[in-house]
Amino acid sequence: MTEPEVEIFWPSSLPPDPATEAQDLLHEAGIHSTCMLRPTRRGVADVVLVLVTTAVLEPFLRTLFQGIAEEAHKGLRMFVDRLLVRPSQNQQTPDEAVIQVSTGGRITFTTGLPDQAFQQAVDLDARDGRWVWDAQRVMWVPV
């Protein structure tokens, strides 16, 4: 497996602090990452896109987020929260964080997801599918 490399595409309409903090978190875990501001399009919600170079999400998540926290799902939650959780009511952050692997698989994270969502995301085989959390079914579902 190649070393994970991460690119964070952050909406330029929002303050960049959460993105740079997330990038620092990755660097502390020994993961090479870059952060780029991207222009927002009219009528499109502010979404942060996180691209990873590994072909399968599970090894990436385990490698990356076990370096951040004792358990991979806790590290994943810390990373997503860093991008999406508003430290104050006045600071805007994206509505969603989308983690996409090089094969096209995507997982869309939103605020307020339960711990179970992060536990399942670590083991999700998202090679080429698009996945969202279904709160009623308490599981990731393809869209």
Side-chain angles (χ1 to χ4, degrees):
M1 180 174 79
T2 61
E3 285 295 313
E5 186 172 321
V6 177
E7 293 178 338
I8 300 172
F9 292 89
W10 186 260
S12 62
S13 63
L14 300 177
D17 296 344
T20 56
E21 290 172 8
Q23 184 180 17
D24 291 344
L25 192 62
L26 295 173
H27 285 166
E28 289 171 17
I31 305 299
H32 175 73
S33 63
T34 55
C35 184
M36 293 169 264
L37 297 180
R38 67 179 179 136
T40 53
R41 293 176 289 182
R42 188 173 298 190
V44 176
D46 287 326
V47 175
V48 60
L49 179 62
V50 180
L51 297 177
V52 298
T53 59
T54 55
V56 180
L57 194 58
E58 186 268 338
F60 162 74
L61 292 174
R62 289 200 190 280
T63 301
L64 173 61
F65 297 114
Q66 280 183 336
I68 295 173
E70 186 176 316
E71 297 178 51
H73 73 277
K74 290 179 183 176
L76 175 58
R77 174 173 220 122
M78 286 173 54
F79 179 73
V80 170
D81 284 350
R82 190 76 49 112
L83 294 171
L84 297 181
V85 174
R86 293 157 178 84
S88 72
Q89 295 296 343
N90 297 332
Q91 186 177 6
Q92 291 182 310
T93 57
D95 300 321
E96 299 176 343
V98 175
I99 296 181
Q100 179 173 328
V101 293
S102 61
T103 57
R106 298 175 83 156
I107 301 177
T108 300
F109 294 90
T110 57
T111 58
L113 290 176
D115 284 336
Q116 190 172 9
F118 293 94
Q119 292 167 351
Q120 288 182 25
V122 171
D123 295 319
L124 189 63
D125 185 0
R127 274 177 226 176
D128 57 4
R130 303 213 187 295
W131 300 85
V132 296
W133 181 253
D134 184 329
Q136 289 186 321
R137 294 170 58 188
V138 192
M139 63 188 288
W140 290 99
V141 295
V143 291

